[in-house]
Amino acid sequence: MNVFRLAGDVSHLVAIIILLVKIWRSKSCAGISGKSQVLFALVFTTRYLDLFTVFISAYNTIMKVVFLAMSYATVYLIYMRFRNMYDSENDTFRVEFLLVPVIGLSFLENYAFTPLEILWTFSIFLEAVAIMPQLFMITKTGEAESITTHYLFFLGLYRALYIANWVWRYHTEEFFDQIAVVSGVVQTIFYCDFFYLYVTRVLRGKAKMILP
Amino acid sequence: SDSPNGKDEL
């Protein structure tokens, strides 16, 4: 555990809490892609199956359970509790275009051809692209509420901090996880364009982020 | 200690 990794996990936690609290307090999930949230729930579910097989640390176990619980709570709020506000007409990204290649890749490129390893790899690849329905939705509607952009900012920050964590671990413990690092870098690239808009628009006091 | 392929990470 290093400071980048801890800060990355905290950013991830903050992002998910921002989204949950926003939906809960506004009683609305307008502008939120339910598809991205289902994909994230799938990411956590397939990655954290090792909760049943290995014990790494209390921190690790607690964070995994919290991420799982909060991602399912988010999906529940969007599709059940506040489904009347769900913006399905703009949440039209075809997730099969993500799932099919990601399933194929996880069978081809993994550390061991076992169910748990393939599912872990699937979760890593899927996380890299799971935000695409949300970014697609923002592009389609041409705007995003500032709270939604704060959520995306912390999610992107979490990815960037994980890269710093990997650089640190490479130099201090010669740790290098090729699958996680390559997908992590790809994932972070998706946020770059958004980061630019966030800094130039949202941080200058706009209530909404309107796309150029 | 850490597992070989980063499973200590979240």
Side-chain angles (χ1 to χ4, degrees):
Chain A
M1 178 67 75
N2 56 65
V3 64
F4 302 110
R5 163 72 200 284
L6 185 62
D9 288 347
V10 169
S11 294
H12 198 180
L13 201 59
V14 167
I16 296 172
I17 291 172
I18 286 175
L19 188 66
L20 253 184
V21 170
K22 167 196 154 65
I23 296 173
W24 184 253
R25 294 181 77 173
S26 67
K27 304 203 184 306
S28 163
C29 50
I32 304 297
S33 166
K35 290 184 177 181
S36 275
Q37 295 309 314
V38 169
L39 293 181
F40 281 127
L42 191 58
V43 163
F44 291 136
T45 308
T46 50
R47 187 174 309 167
Y48 297 161
L49 290 171
D50 64 353
L51 275 172
F52 300 103
T53 58
V54 287
F55 178 79
I56 294 162
S57 66
Y59 171 83
N60 192 276
T61 301
I62 292 168
M63 290 295 267
K64 283 175 175 172
V65 171
V66 167
F67 282 146
L68 275 168
M70 292 203 302
S71 69
Y72 277 95
T74 306
V75 169
Y76 165 77
L77 290 183
I78 294 173
Y79 284 100
M80 310 280 281
R81 184 134 186 162
F82 302 127
R83 67 175 177 276
N84 295 339
M85 303 297 287
Y86 172 49
D87 193 4
S88 58
E89 283 185 8
N90 285 316
D91 194 12
T92 50
F93 192 91
R94 301 279 296 271
V95 287
E96 56 270 36
F97 292 158
L98 297 179
L99 284 173
V100 170
V102 162
I103 291 169
L105 264 181
S106 53
F107 275 90
L108 283 172
E109 182 72 41
N110 50 56
Y111 291 123
F113 203 77
T114 60
L116 272 185
E117 281 293 331
I118 291 170
L119 285 167
W120 177 85
T121 312
F122 168 80
S123 81
I124 295 288
F125 291 154
L126 182 62
E127 187 184 353
V129 294
I131 200 61
M132 287 178 81
Q134 180 66 62
L135 296 178
F136 175 78
M137 197 171 176
I138 291 175
T139 309
K140 190 174 177 186
T141 59
E143 62 180 40
E145 280 181 44
S146 63
I147 302 176
T148 309
T149 66
H150 299 329
Y151 161 71
L152 285 168
F153 170 76
F154 278 101
L155 215 50
L157 182 62
Y158 141 65
R159 293 317 313 181
L161 286 164
Y162 253 70
I163 292 179
N165 155 60
W166 290 324
V167 172
W168 179 266
R169 291 188 72 173
Y170 182 76
H171 286 291
T172 56
E173 41 186 299
E174 289 176 38
F175 168 92
F176 180 69
D177 183 331
Q178 188 179 318
I179 290 177
V181 170
V182 172
S183 338
V185 169
V186 169
Q187 187 177 351
T188 311
I189 291 169
F190 288 134
Y191 289 90
C192 289
D193 182 45
F194 165 79
F195 271 137
Y196 173 76
L197 288 172
Y198 184 80
V199 171
T200 54
R201 286 159 198 272
V202 179
L203 293 186
R204 291 188 187 160
K206 302 284 197 316
K208 276 186 174 181
M209 185 179 80
I210 312 282
L211 294 190
Chain B
S1 64
D2 301 338
S3 69
N5 45 5
K7 304 248 191 330
D8 64 313
E9 297 187 340
L10 296 164

